[in-house]
Amino acid sequence: MAEEEKDQPKRPMTVEEAGRRGGEKVASERGSEFFSSIGKKGGDTVAKKRGHEFYEEIGRKGGQRVKAERGAEFYSTIGHKGGQKVKELIEQAKKNQ
């Protein structure tokens, strides 16, 4: 513990801080693969319980929210950027053949 921390009075830990510290400890003990595996297990469980329609609904709601916040033009812009990136990657692949 640093000298400055010893001089300061103790304060209660926030939930955010406790979560961060706990996550860091688990990551150091078990590695990042652990988080990947429990995330996949959780996702598989949700998929089994709620089905395909659940993902359609949350995707639709998310899209509506983004459209309301950023406008329809946002989708046009990101679509154009994505198309340009694909075009660039195809050209690179052709040059590398």
Side-chain angles (χ1 to χ4, degrees), residues 30 35 44 71 86:
R30 298 187 181 205
F35 289 109
D44 290 345
V86 169

Side-chain angles (χ1 to χ4, degrees), residues 25-77:
K25 183 171 183 174
V26 170
S28 69
E29 291 174 355
R30 298 187 181 205
S32 60
E33 301 82 28
F34 172 73
F35 289 109
S36 294
S37 70
I38 63 171
K40 179 155 179 27
K41 286 178 187 177
D44 290 345
T45 300
V46 170
K48 283 180 187 174
K49 285 184 179 178
R50 298 192 177 209
H52 179 73
E53 297 80 19
F54 171 73
Y55 292 104
E56 287 180 350
E57 183 181 345
I58 62 173
R60 182 182 52 75
K61 286 180 178 180
Q64 289 174 341
R65 177 91 183 246
V66 170
K67 184 178 176 184
E69 290 175 358
R70 296 180 177 228
E73 184 64 26
F74 171 74
Y75 287 108
S76 177
T77 303

Side-chain angles (χ1 to χ4, degrees), residues 3-15:
E3 195 62 36
E4 303 102 35
E5 291 178 14
K6 289 181 181 178
D7 295 339
Q8 294 179 356
K10 286 192 174 190
R11 61 172 175 73
M13 188 182 306
T14 65
V15 173

